[in-house]
């Protein structure tokens, strides 16, 4: 079965997530970036580095598989498979913002996209949804940690 159509990944090929990494910059100051990862190794582990935190403060949590299923549903809704191969840069802006998305699926398909002051279609919706999802996990786990202390 072919999953490539002009570099795009079909919605059907976006099956079970093996690896996901999404990051973006939020400004020009130190630690002005956000990073989310999801890894499958018999269970899903989320790694979250919120805005304003150094990379060394990235936290990891085991999460239910419905987190990955939520992401797949989101990606299909906004046709994120069309992002594959998106590598656009605005060379006229020196202090801009950027994003990176890398996903590997069980089907063998991958999505790789990067932009610097250029964004694929529905970027804002995807970023906002991933922020809500990962930051809800982050806040829930932080609260659990505080309550157990």
């Amino acid at each position: 079965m072919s999953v490539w159509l002009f570099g795009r990944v079909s919605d059907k090929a976006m099956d079970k997530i093996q690896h996901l990494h999404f990051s973006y910059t939020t400004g020009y100051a130190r630690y002005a970036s956000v990073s989310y990862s999801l890894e499958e190794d018999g269970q899903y582990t989320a790694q979250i580095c919120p805005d304003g935190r150094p990379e060394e403060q990235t936290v990891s949590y085991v999460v239910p598989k419905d987190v990955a299923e939520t992401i797949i549903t989101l990606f299909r809704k906004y046709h994120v498979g069309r992002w594959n191969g998106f590598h656009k840069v605005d060379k006229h802006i020196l202090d801009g913002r950027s994003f990176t998305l890398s996903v590997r699926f069980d089907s063998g398909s991958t999505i790789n996209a990067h932009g610097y002051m250029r964004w694929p279609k529905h970027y804002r919706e995807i970023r906002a949804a991933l922020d809500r999802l990962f930051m809800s996990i982050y806040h829930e786990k932080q609260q659990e940690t505080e309550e157990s202390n």
Side-chain angles (χ1 to χ4, degrees):
M1 171 179 65
S2 177
V3 295
W4 296 95
L5 177 62
F6 305 108
R8 297 175 179 180
V9 175
S10 72
D11 288 350
K12 185 176 181 179
M14 291 189 284
D15 55 2
K16 185 177 175 187
I17 294 173
Q18 290 182 346
H19 164 83
L20 173 138
H21 175 81
F22 178 70
S23 61
Y24 62 92
T25 57
T26 60
Y28 321 112
R30 189 173 184 188
Y31 310 132
S33 63
V34 173
S35 176
Y36 306 128
S37 294
L38 189 66
E39 295 286 338
E40 194 278 327
D41 188 19
Q43 62 185 5
Y44 280 102
T45 303
Q47 295 184 333
I48 304 167
C49 187
D51 188 29
R53 305 279 176 140
E55 191 175 309
E56 302 81 45
Q57 291 182 8
T58 298
V59 293
S60 295
Y61 305 113
V62 173
V63 296
K65 71 177 183 176
D66 67 339
V67 170
E69 292 166 355
T70 298
I71 294 169
I72 294 294
T73 300
L74 176 71
F75 283 6
R76 288 177 177 159
K77 177 181 178 180
Y78 290 108
H79 307 289
V80 173
R82 294 177 181 171
W83 291 19
N84 192 45
F86 183 97
H87 298 289
K88 295 188 179 183
V89 173
D90 187 331
K91 296 177 183 177
H92 302 291
I93 300 175
L94 300 177
D95 291 330
R97 296 190 175 150
S98 63
F99 84 95
T100 300
L101 174 67
S102 173
V103 190
R104 185 176 62 250
F105 301 96
D106 265 4
S107 66
S109 297
T110 59
I111 299 171
N112 290 294
H114 170 78
Y116 176 80
M117 295 306 295
R118 302 286 299 266
W119 324 109
K121 189 173 183 178
H122 300 298
Y123 169 78
R124 283 181 173 76
E125 293 90 343
I126 293 296
R127 187 180 106 176
L130 291 176
D131 281 340
R132 283 190 300 274
L133 178 64
F134 281 95
M135 291 310 294
S136 69
I137 294 166
Y138 179 81
H139 291 301
E140 177 185 320
K141 298 295 186 177
Q142 291 295 312
Q143 185 175 358
E144 287 175 10
T145 301
E146 289 172 9
E147 290 174 357
S148 68
N149 287 335

